[in-house]
Amino acid sequence: MIGVVMAPTYILLWLAITCLVTNFAAILFQRRYSNTPSLSNNA
């Protein structure tokens, strides 16, 4: 059945978008509120 989009497609899409948004929010939160230098600056 070509062209039929099943429910798991939307569930996985929602999960992926949620994970991406959470990761971007965590990165922005860390950059804005962190006073300690990041690990990349300690090399």
Side-chain angles (χ1 to χ4, degrees):
M1 296 175 60
I2 299 174
V4 177
V5 180
M6 303 292 286
T9 303
Y10 295 110
I11 295 172
L12 290 173
L13 181 64
W14 175 81
L15 184 62
I17 291 172
T18 303
C19 289
L20 285 174
V21 169
T22 304
N23 282 321
F24 282 126
I27 291 171
L28 292 176
F29 182 82
Q30 181 201 11
R31 287 185 179 178
R32 179 169 294 181
Y33 295 105
S34 176
N35 291 328
T36 58
S38 62
L39 294 175
S40 62
N41 292 335
N42 293 334

